[in-house]
């Protein structure tokens, strides 16, 4: 029987929802607030050893020799592994694009500062660190390639000699009649932009405990894995083990934001455990390791972009040329960040033609990794800056040029030039709402007064799309041709009517366990306390992906609703037999199964489940005595990508409009955020408190991107920002508490009409702040085109603007 997933809250089998759509207390919080959540560093296993990793001090060098004898002889050391062990017991790590991967430990040469060379397993971390001091490595330094433009040129030293070039991927994608659009335009506005490296910095770094079973030739890993199932497959492939011989157990972890890669650490500790005879080996990444050698760097980009417009402000075409510096290898899935902009390439606008000239290169820097937003935040920064530049050039208000180009509400579902389909939206409503919230005309009057006083007061007005519920087909252009990302759940009812949901991801902070609890409590008419969510490991859980790509709230809702529907079908068959009628005469309503139109003829779901478990003699002949069902949800209607990368990929298109006022100190370049307003639409809000938290968190990371965060390398490939003294994160003093207003345009395609919202304001905030800064600088005739707009960068612009 086909499973029909409810498309709205009104379709649930109850008289009125009690929990969905409300900010209920989170079920995760008692364990977190009382310190009972078992994070990876809280774990100790019998006989456990501790790992320390020796890392390269060079950005590019050939390894001429490595001597570990003294380290192996140090009391308390049980195993030492080098690149030779990696070559013997593993393969190169899989990469996207292909053939740009290395072993978990450097073999012939090192390619970035911080690359692992050797690792030690010892009785404790102190002994392991001491042993590293005894390892002698001789290097032959090679020229470091740090600049992306240089890396792309012929004759440049090669990161991977066998590949013959440092260019990982170079393609031009053309959608629509781009040349005609630019040739017929009244005005064309061009600009170059620079987005410097930044990345995820969760409270907790990566950690793992690996235990190799020498009898079974299998591996079990506890760790802070963001996506345990896919990490397990990758680990099995790297180690040459059958997939059912690798079991990953994801512990609760303090955020990821894409930064919990951990592939090298997992394989290194597995090799150490194997060499140590199967003793568990624990590695907890320290903060400097994370900053210099972890999964925390992303989006090192050089842009050239252009907009073609009619004189009235109608946008005819959009061109983007991107040179993306991915770092030394493609091991961290960082390349997908260059592909994801196809899912919302033209933003909220009905731009009929677009072109994407994409070049991804390798340099001697830390390999790039995913980060919250997965690539569109820099792209949105470029598009929205160009919209403002065009508005000034045409004498239009920034709001008016946007309003003129919006996709109209009656055009949805709407297929954009780059091929993705937007499900629903009302962008003009979001614009009107935020203008009303911020008293826009009054803000402009305040700006005029400030300028008369010589102050640099700026207003940023920006709207963006947040693509939600990702699909692999979005990344086909960099080598991921699959379609469909499963998320499964098993739902069961015990003999006392209590409900258990079994899923495949651990606590990560976003509140999905609470959403599962709300959905099942409303579906089956029980209390929140009657539902428990149980996490299962990679071999036990139904097929799953877990958090990532603004998908899990929608996907897990679909999974638990599908499982609940299948379980309901079983309960109805049993109840129909017990009540001597046909299943088609029965229905679930408010926690009871009864005969339609006969209010007195009902059985509570606990009674039906109890009959299944305790009176199997009363069941239909084809019914197993198990009140449990599993469902695996995938986004409907997805299509394979064509030769130009066009596909129905991300299922939902949330949208937001931000209005921000800033002041730039004319003497120091310091930026102060004065006011910040947000109108956002993520469809049905399953839990408004979750949305509020993710939105405000996205603002914080967006402030960091716009004003503070930057990984800086010198010309030798040495990282100059390897501590939080140098890599600056925003604090409560820099991040404003925003004023927000919720809009609701339900998705017609998703469970309960919800849209993905996990990446939230990170898509919009950097662009909004940068547009405000440039609005402030407009009277001076200079533009801030590089992110972050640090005080020093702005000060240099201010000095440039001063008369000689």
């Amino acid at each position: 029987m086909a499973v029909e997933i409810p498309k709205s809250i009104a379709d649930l089998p109850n008289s009125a929802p009690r929990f969905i759509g409300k900010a209920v207390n989170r079920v995760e919080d008692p364990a977190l607030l009382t310190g009972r959540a078992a994070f990876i560093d809280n774990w100790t296993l019998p006989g456990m050893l501790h790992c320390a990793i020796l890392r390269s001090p060079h950005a590019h060098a050939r390894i001429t020799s490595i001597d570990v004898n003294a380290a192996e002889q140090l009391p308390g050391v049980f195993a030492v592994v080098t690149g030779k062990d990696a070559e013997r017991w593993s393969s190169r790590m899989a990469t996207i694009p292909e053939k740009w991967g290395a072993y978990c430990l450097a073999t012939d040469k090192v390619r970035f500062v911080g690359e692992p060379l050797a690792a030690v397993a010892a009785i404790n971390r102190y002994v392991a660190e001491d042993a590293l001091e005894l390892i002698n490595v001789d290097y032959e330094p090679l020229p470091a390639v740090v600049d992306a433009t240089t890396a792309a040129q012929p004759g440049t030293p090669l990161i991977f000699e066998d590949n013959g070039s440092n260019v990982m991927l170079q393609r031009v994608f053309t959608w629509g009649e781009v040349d005609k659009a630019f040739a017929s335009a009244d005005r064309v506005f061009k600009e170059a932009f620079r987005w410097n490296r930044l990345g995820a910095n969760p409270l907790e770094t990566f950690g793992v405990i690996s235990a190799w079973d020498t009898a079974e030739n299998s591996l079990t890993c506890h760790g802070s894995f963001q996506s345990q199932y896919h990490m397990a497959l990758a680990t099995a492939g790297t180690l040459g083990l059958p997939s059912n011989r690798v079991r990953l157990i994801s512990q609760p972890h303090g955020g990821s934001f894409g930064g919990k890669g951990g592939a090298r650490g997992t394989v290194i500790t597995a090799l150490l455990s194997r060499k140590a005879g199967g003793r568990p080996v624990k590695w907890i990444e320290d903060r400097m390791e994370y900053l210099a050698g972890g999964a925390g760097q992303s989006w090192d980009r050089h842009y050239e972009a252009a907009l073609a417009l009619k004189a009235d402000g109608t946008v005819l075409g959009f061109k983007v040329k991107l040179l993306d510096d991915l770092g030394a290898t493609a091991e961290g899935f960082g390349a997908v960040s260059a592909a994801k902009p196809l899912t919302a390439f033209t933003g909220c606008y009905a731009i009929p033609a677009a072109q994407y000239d994409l070049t991804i290169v390798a340099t001697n820097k830390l390999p790039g990794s995913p980060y919250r937003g997965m690539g569109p935040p820099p792209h949105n920064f470029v598009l929205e800056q160009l919209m403002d530049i065009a508005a000034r050039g045409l004498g239009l208000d920034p709001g008016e040029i946007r309003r003129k180009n919006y996709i109209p509400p009656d055009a949805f579902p709407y297929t954009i030039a780059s091929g993705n389909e937007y499900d629903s939206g009302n962008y003009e409503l979001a614009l009107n709402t935020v203008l009303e919230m911020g008293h826009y005309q009054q803000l402009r009057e305040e700006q005029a007064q400030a300028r008369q006083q010589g102050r640099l007061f700026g207003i940023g007005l920006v709207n963006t799309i947040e693509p939600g519920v990702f699909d692999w087909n979005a990344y086909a252009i960099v080598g991921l041709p699959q379609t469909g990302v499963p998320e499964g759940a098993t739902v069961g009812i015990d003999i006392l009517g209590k409900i258990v949901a079994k899923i495949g991801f651990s606590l990560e902070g976003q509140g999905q366990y609470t959403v599962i609890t709300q959905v099942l409590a409303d579906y089956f008419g029980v209390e929140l306390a009657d539902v428990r969510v149980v996490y299962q490991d990679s071999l036990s859980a139904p097929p799953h992906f877990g958090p990532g790509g603004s998908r899990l709230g929608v996907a897990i809702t679909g999974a638990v609703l599908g499982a609940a529907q299948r379980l309901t079908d079983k309960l109805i068959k049993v109840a129909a037999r017990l009540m001597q009628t046909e299943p088609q005469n029965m229905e679930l309503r408010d926690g009871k199964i009864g005969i339609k139109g006969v209010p007195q003829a009902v059985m509570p779901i606990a009674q039906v489940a109890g009959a299944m478990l305790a009176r199997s003699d009363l069941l239909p002949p084809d019914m197993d005595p198990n009140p449990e069902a599993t469902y695996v949800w995938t986004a409907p209607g997805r299509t394979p990508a064509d030769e130009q990368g066009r596909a129905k990929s991300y299922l939902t298109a949330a949208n937001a409009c931000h209005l921000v006022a800033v002041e730039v100190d004319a003497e120091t370049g310091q930026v102060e955020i004065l006011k910040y307003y947000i109108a956002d639409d993520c469809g049905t809000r399953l839990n408004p408190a979750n949305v509020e938290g993710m939105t405000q968190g996205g603002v914080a990371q967006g402030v960091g991107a716009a004003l503070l965060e930057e990984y800086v390398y010198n010309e030798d490939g040495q990282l100059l920002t390897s501590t939080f003294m140098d890599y600056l994160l925003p604090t409560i003093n820099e991040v404003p508490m925003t004023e927000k207003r919720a809009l609701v345009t339900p998705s017609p395609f998703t469970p309960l009409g919800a849209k993905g919202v996990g990446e939230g304001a990170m898509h919009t905030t950097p662009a909004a702040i940068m547009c405000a800064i440039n609005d402030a600088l407009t009277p001076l005739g200079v533009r801030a085109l590089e992110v972050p707009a640090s005080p020093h960068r702005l000060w240099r612009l201010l000095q440039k603007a001063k008369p000689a």
Side-chain angles (χ1 to χ4, degrees), residues 393-688:
L394 295 172
L396 297 173
D397 181 83
E400 190 56 35
I401 195 171
R402 287 170 169 82
R403 189 190 305 276
K404 189 172 191 64
N405 288 283
Y406 284 147
I407 300 165
D410 59 2
F412 293 97
Y414 182 87
T415 300
I416 61 173
S418 53
N420 195 27
E421 181 183 64
Y422 293 174
D423 53 347
S424 65
N426 190 333
Y427 307 145
E428 187 169 18
L429 176 61
L431 174 68
N432 292 339
T433 300
V434 85
L435 294 179
E436 181 269 327
M437 291 169 62
H439 305 286
Y440 182 66
Q441 291 306 319
Q442 184 176 326
L443 273 181
R444 287 296 181 192
E445 293 168 7
E446 290 180 31
Q447 181 183 51
Q449 295 173 4
R451 286 179 173 174
Q452 289 177 357
Q453 300 164 4
R455 293 161 51 208
L456 302 177
F457 184 109
I459 299 168
L461 180 62
V462 161
N463 42 234
T464 66
I465 296 296
E466 178 184 356
V469 194
F470 89 91
D471 201 289
W472 295 118
N473 60 357
Y475 314 138
I477 67 170
V478 293
L480 281 170
Q482 303 99 307
T483 300
V485 184
E487 196 65 47
T490 298
V491 176
I493 303 176
D494 69 19
I495 199 166
L496 299 178
K498 305 303 181 184
I499 296 171
V500 174
K502 301 172 186 176
I503 45 88
F505 55 91
S506 59
L507 296 179
E508 197 181 62
Q510 299 98 325
Q512 284 99 346
Y513 284 27
T514 299
V515 170
I516 295 169
T517 303
Q518 290 174 272
V519 169
L520 289 175
D522 266 345
Y523 190 96
F524 286 113
V526 299
E527 300 300 321
L528 295 176
D530 293 326
V531 180
R532 186 180 181 191
V533 181
V534 176
Y535 155 80
Q536 295 184 309
D537 63 59
S538 63
L539 292 181
S540 305
H544 58 280
F545 180 86
S550 290
R551 67 176 292 277
L552 191 51
V554 173
I556 197 60
T557 298
V560 297
L561 284 174
Q565 181 60 56
R566 282 188 169 167
L567 177 54
T568 299
D569 291 342
K570 294 177 74 173
L571 296 175
I572 282 177
K573 287 181 181 179
V574 173
R577 184 173 180 88
L578 295 175
M579 301 178 76
Q580 300 181 10
T581 187
E582 296 300 319
Q584 60 265 29
N585 298 329
M586 308 291 288
E587 66 177 353
L588 170 67
R589 195 75 176 169
D590 296 325
K592 298 179 177 67
I593 294 176
I595 300 175
K596 299 174 184 176
V598 186
Q600 301 82 8
V602 296
M603 294 180 66
I605 58 170
Q607 189 176 357
V608 182
M612 294 180 72
L613 291 165
R615 290 298 305 272
S616 59
D617 57 306
L618 299 179
L619 302 184
D622 61 345
M623 178 63 62
D624 63 301
N626 180 21
E628 183 178 88
T630 297
Y631 186 80
V632 180
W633 183 89
T634 58
R638 303 307 87 195
T639 59
D642 68 11
E643 71 283 353
Q644 287 295 314
R646 290 171 295 210
K648 291 183 180 180
S649 53
Y650 278 61
L651 180 64
T652 68
N655 73 90
C657 194
H658 290 208
L659 175 63
V660 57
V662 307
E663 184 162 349
V664 180
D665 190 300
E667 299 300 321
T668 67
Q670 185 76 32
V671 175
E672 180 183 2
I673 300 174
L674 305 174
K675 300 174 183 179
Y676 206 120
Y677 306 94
I678 298 174
D680 75 290
D681 180 354
C682 61
T684 303
R685 292 171 186 248
L686 303 175
N687 185 310

Side-chain angles (χ1 to χ4, degrees), residues 308-324:
L309 301 96
K310 293 182 180 179
D312 66 358
T314 302
V315 180
L316 302 174
F318 178 40
K319 289 182 180 180
V320 175
K321 184 176 183 180
L322 169 60
L323 177 61
D324 193 9

